[in-house]
Amino acid sequence: MSYALESKVQSSELLSREEFDAAIRAVGAERYHDKHPFHKMLHGGDLNKDQVGAWALNRYCYQSAVPRKDAALMSRVHDNDLRREWMHRIVDHDGLGDEPGGIERWLVLTDGLGLDRDYVMSMRGALPATRFAVEAYVRFVREEPLVVAVASSLTELFAPKIHKERISGMLENYDFIDDKVMAYFKRRLNQAPRDADFALEYIKDHAKNRDEQEACIDAVRFKCNVLWVQLDALYHAYVDGHVPPGAYRPGERNV
Amino acid sequence: MSYALESKVQSSELLSREEFDAAIRAVGAERYHDKHPFHKMLHGGDLNKDQVGAWALNRYCYQSAVPRKDAALMSRVHDNDLRREWMHRIVDHDGLGDEPGGIERWLVLTDGLGLDRDYVMSMRGALPATRFAVEAYVRFVREEPLVVAVASSLTELFAPKIHKERISGMLENYDFIDDKVMAYFKRRLNQAPRDADFALEYIKDHAKNRDEQEACIDAVRFKCNVLWVQLDALYHAYVDGHVPPGAYRPGERNV
């Protein structure tokens, strides 16, 4: 952060659009989950297939919650144009008509990792910390002021970089990963930036005072926490080996 | 209602699918808003253009709330298939991509009735009773058990009949009504039955005991009330002439 921005951060003055933008991006630079050791292991080829499976199985909870949180947001929007824009997100994840969505593409990944689809979708084997974090996100979007709820989506600003690293890292490092199972991330390379650009412009236009701007910046921190908690829980369970009761245990009978 | 159904209604026994179906339809026969005197006047050519305008302006509140209530429902649904099915409703009303939705078609109607589009969309001239009823519906769908929330959509079972009457009655009786402005209703002739059939099968499958079945039947009564209240308010204001403070006044400057 520049000195000029640092000093303004101390005041209660409205941030300019550029300063607001920089403050949002600074959150990503500080705490987006691409900095988490589990991600570095995932992309660097340091996990085994079971550990990658545990990640994909847990992350399914997040994927499948995303359309619910987007619908929660839409349920609060009186502006037809904003709803039409936001609806693309649900279509991207749930699909529409004959077109499969991101959730289906995620299940292609878990299939490829040898996980039973019904078991994945039941979420019975997911870590409780994952479930709690994901549902906290849905509640946040349902309950916080609309502009703040929109801001919580802005981790998508940082997603294309992690997806690119993931695609190349995982394809290169794991013989059980191929192009087909990475389809989810390839699609998100185009979807996420479009959505993030829209949401960023929206909060710049609609955060009316410094308090609302700060609440938007905090929303991105909150969302980074939602993502980070999931990787902490995975690391503790599947790298350090402290799998909690009821959670997925590779190599055992999981029902 | 048959004698057999009457007597079963007294017990706490689970209704068969056929009995449950009949009980839902009986609510429509008793209290769907096609029985309201305002609708009889609307379809029979007994209203003037201003009164039809008041109806269309108020009904806009309902139209524009429908995608919010559908998104509220989707935000609670963990089943991807149910969300995909339900999403059609939002697309039908909001449109998607280049395709306009029902709300746009409704505004073509209010345009045709000589109402200012910004004024209609602001909802400033709508009757408070309309706004309260419509928001009660959104809250109902957000808060009631999912199967009951789904049941509240089932007034759509009764909609094609009223839409057919409306299209023929209004085209025949009003020189200010033409095919173009009736596009909304023509489209709903196909959309509503598809949605209603799905929702009816859903509640038959998911209402697990008699209490849940009764709550579903009550949900249809509730929804009929939401619709009826709007016509009572229109009748009182624009037929009997008791326009409340702040509401649309034909012939005056409405801003």
Side-chain angles (χ1 to χ4, degrees), chain B residues 161-196:
Chain B
K161 179 169 166 286
I162 203 173
H163 287 165
K164 271 183 217 148
E165 287 171 9
R166 189 172 292 161
I167 293 166
S168 62
M170 290 179 71
L171 284 173
E172 189 178 330
N173 292 310
Y174 299 117
D175 57 9
F176 51 86
I177 292 289
D178 59 23
D179 270 328
K180 178 167 164 264
V181 302
M182 294 306 278
Y184 173 82
F185 301 105
K186 293 199 174 161
R187 185 67 78 94
R188 291 302 295 164
L189 288 178
N190 299 323
Q191 290 170 340
R194 179 198 66 196
D195 292 345

Side-chain angles (χ1 to χ4, degrees), chain A residues 154-165:
Chain A
L154 280 172
T155 46
E156 284 176 332
L157 285 170
F158 322 127
K161 179 169 166 284
I162 205 174
H163 287 165
K164 269 182 221 152
E165 287 172 8

Side-chain angles (χ1 to χ4, degrees), chain A residues 181-194:
Chain A
V181 302
M182 295 306 278
Y184 173 82
F185 302 104
K186 291 197 175 162
R187 185 67 79 95
R188 292 302 295 164
L189 288 177
N190 299 323
Q191 290 169 341
R194 179 198 68 196

Side-chain angles (χ1 to χ4, degrees), chain B residues 67-250:
Chain B
R68 281 191 291 122
K69 76 91 187 162
D70 286 322
L73 193 135
M74 283 179 66
S75 79
R76 304 173 57 198
V77 172
H78 289 252
D79 172 1
N80 175 228
D81 289 334
L82 176 57
R83 280 200 310 272
R84 280 168 61 98
E85 170 60 38
W86 214 263
M87 188 153 45
H88 282 291
R89 294 169 177 257
I90 302 185
V91 173
D92 287 347
H93 280 87
D94 272 340
L96 188 65
D98 296 334
E99 183 68 23
I103 291 175
E104 173 61 27
R105 286 187 286 277
W106 196 268
L107 290 168
V108 170
L109 171 64
T110 57
D111 291 347
L113 291 164
L115 295 162
D116 179 74
R117 195 176 264 229
D118 287 340
Y119 180 67
V120 172
M121 292 175 73
S122 78
M123 298 190 270
R124 281 194 300 275
L127 295 164
T130 304
R131 305 288 301 272
F132 297 157
V134 162
E135 294 308 322
Y137 183 30
V138 178
R139 277 200 307 279
F140 186 94
V141 171
R142 194 193 296 282
E143 293 170 8
E144 292 297 316
L146 188 61
V147 68
V148 177
V150 168
S152 70
S153 73
L154 282 171
T155 48
E156 285 176 334
L157 285 170
F158 322 127
K161 179 169 166 286
I162 203 173
H163 287 165
K164 271 183 217 148
E165 287 171 9
R166 189 172 292 161
I167 293 166
S168 62
M170 290 179 71
L171 284 173
E172 189 178 330
N173 292 310
Y174 299 117
D175 57 9
F176 51 86
I177 292 289
D178 59 23
D179 270 328
K180 178 167 164 264
V181 302
M182 294 306 278
Y184 173 82
F185 301 105
K186 293 199 174 161
R187 185 67 78 94
R188 291 302 295 164
L189 288 178
N190 299 323
Q191 290 170 340
R194 179 198 66 196
D195 292 345
D197 291 346
F198 176 86
L200 190 56
E201 288 307 298
Y202 183 89
I203 68 162
K204 287 177 186 172
D205 291 343
H206 290 86
K208 295 270 183 267
N209 54 48
R210 180 63 179 272
D211 284 347
E212 288 183 11
Q213 290 180 325
E214 291 296 335
C216 288
I217 300 165
D218 268 340
V220 184
R221 289 194 191 100
F222 162 83
K223 175 65 175 302
C224 285
N225 292 345
V226 167
L227 299 170
W228 194 275
V229 158
Q230 296 177 56
L231 297 186
D232 270 358
L234 282 165
Y235 197 102
H236 189 66
Y238 298 105
V239 178
D240 287 340
H242 307 294
V243 180
Y248 169 65
R249 289 181 177 269

Side-chain angles (χ1 to χ4, degrees), chain A residues 2 33 40 77 79 121 128 188 194 200 209 211 218 226:
Chain A
S2 70
H33 64 167
K40 294 191 195 297
V77 172
D79 173 1
M121 292 175 73
R188 292 302 295 164
R194 179 198 68 196
L200 190 57
N209 55 48
D211 283 348
D218 268 342
V226 166

